[in-house]
Amino acid sequence: MSTLALKGPYWVTVRQYRRTLWLVAGGVLLSLVSMVWLRYWDDQTVDTDRDTGHAVLQVAMDWASTAMLLLPLFVGAFVAGPMVARELESGTYKLALTQSVSPARWLGSKLLTAGAVIVPATIALIGVYRLGWGSVAGTWSFLWYEPGTYVATGPVLVAQVLLALGLGALIGQLIRRTVTAMALTGLVTGLVVLVVGQLRWSLMPVQTMTGPLTEGNVAAALPASSWQGDSGLITASGDRLPSQACWDRTEQWSVCPADLNVVGQYWDHHPSSHYWPIQLIETGIVLALAALALYAAFRVLRARHA
């Protein structure tokens, strides 16, 4: 990364973490080259009896899904530890403050530099993942609603790394101990992302499909690409009963007592067309949390260094 056009604390930050920045760029490039090669290998062996290339691509994509899920945790840990807490712990930040640099500018230069690298790198990694996903989409563990695939293919991952950036800046100042700040930031970032992920399928109203009572309560009519939520029995009055309500009384799935007045069954689901609306809503929520964390970080900085 060239530092010729950078001045003041931005130049210092880039020089200070230039090896890390080059490592990020190298990692993205290596990921791209590896994925292109795996796709090429897959295309070359697709018509053979032993499709080894496709099997290797699936394994690589499974690892990539896990890595993309953990990416915000690593970003938050790096920002909280080496970029913020370590300088506060060692006192090296005082040197910057003696050079007519305000505390807000000191912190802002670090966050802007980190964001200017992390956001494009994350977008590039999403593109790399989508390149490989094109060959495995729709297969087991790579459906659009699977956690790894869902996060790694849309803008919600960019929002998550920005949230990690804000949480790292905040926790790094509050803890002021490098290792502790890294661990706590990773934990808090993971918990916030997990909680928002648990609420993901409540961000849009589900679609409900009804049908006749069948053996085993199987939603055969649902598209294979749909995310399946709640299911059960439905009565003539529209009330919902658990799936096993008839089985508990008759020990048969398709035979129900007359007093239950069951007329069919229902399935709540999200079709694949809900992918982008849910992505954008969740991205907005996470970005709002990121903005709140950044605001709190600068408030803490102002309180300690008025």
Side-chain angles (χ1 to χ4, degrees):
M1 178 178 292
S2 174
T3 59
L4 295 178
L6 299 174
K7 297 180 181 180
Y10 300 97
W11 182 88
V12 173
T13 302
V14 171
R15 289 288 298 173
Q16 189 176 5
Y17 300 103
R18 61 188 182 279
R19 291 186 178 86
T20 302
L21 302 182
W22 280 114
L23 182 63
V24 171
V28 172
L29 181 60
L30 179 61
S31 300
L32 176 60
V33 172
S34 301
M35 192 60 69
V36 170
W37 168 246
L38 289 172
R39 280 296 306 268
Y40 173 77
W41 189 12
D42 180 29
D43 293 339
Q44 292 297 111
T45 60
V46 68
D47 295 325
T48 62
D49 294 335
R50 297 181 63 186
D51 194 356
T52 308
H54 190 71
V56 174
L57 177 61
Q58 283 187 312
V59 173
M61 289 298 296
D62 193 38
W63 291 350
S65 298
T66 302
M68 297 290 259
L69 284 173
L70 297 176
L71 180 62
L73 280 65
F74 290 122
V75 170
F78 174 77
V79 172
M83 292 198 77
V84 178
R86 186 169 65 186
E87 293 203 11
L88 294 174
E89 183 179 13
S90 63
T92 55
Y93 74 100
K94 296 178 181 178
L95 178 61
L97 300 185
T98 61
Q99 305 299 316
S100 300
V101 175
S102 66
R105 191 182 177 195
W106 168 78
L107 180 61
S109 65
K110 294 189 173 299
L111 297 181
L112 284 174
T113 302
V117 174
I118 292 169
V119 171
T122 301
I123 295 174
L125 288 175
I126 292 173
V128 171
Y129 185 93
R130 278 187 166 272
L131 178 63
W133 186 52
S135 291
V136 299
T139 59
W140 178 79
S141 79
F142 295 108
L143 295 169
W144 68 271
Y145 53 79
E146 292 293 336
T149 300
Y150 173 87
V151 170
T153 55
V156 69
L157 182 60
V158 179
Q160 288 179 356
V161 298
L162 290 174
L163 172 64
L165 196 72
L167 289 174
L170 175 60
I171 296 175
Q173 290 185 84
L174 294 175
I175 303 301
R176 303 167 75 94
R177 294 292 183 271
T178 305
V179 176
T180 307
M182 293 176 69
L184 185 58
T185 301
L187 176 62
V188 173
T189 302
L191 287 175
V192 174
V193 169
L194 181 63
V195 170
V196 175
Q198 291 297 316
L199 301 175
R200 178 175 298 151
W201 307 118
S202 302
L203 299 178
M204 276 190 69
V206 295
Q207 293 185 3
T208 301
M209 179 179 291
T210 59
L213 192 62
T214 57
E215 185 70 22
N217 196 24
V218 179
L222 284 181
S225 61
S226 292
W227 174 86
Q228 296 186 27
D230 190 24
S231 64
L233 307 176
I234 189 169
T235 67
S237 61
D239 294 332
R240 294 184 171 189
L241 298 176
S243 301
Q244 72 278 8
C246 295
W247 171 268
D248 292 340
R249 297 275 297 275
T250 66
E251 296 189 353
Q252 296 185 60
W253 289 106
S254 57
V255 177
C256 294
D259 62 302
L260 293 181
N261 203 18
V262 172
V263 296
Q265 52 189 335
Y266 72 91
W267 306 274
D268 292 335
H269 69 285
H270 282 295
S272 57
S273 60
H274 284 188
Y275 169 81
W276 278 111
I278 294 176
Q279 275 271 348
L280 295 177
I281 295 172
E282 184 175 353
T283 298
I285 293 173
V286 177
L287 284 177
L289 294 175
L292 184 62
L294 286 171
Y295 175 77
F298 280 96
R299 289 288 295 180
V300 170
L301 183 69
R302 183 178 178 182
R304 290 185 171 178
H305 305 280

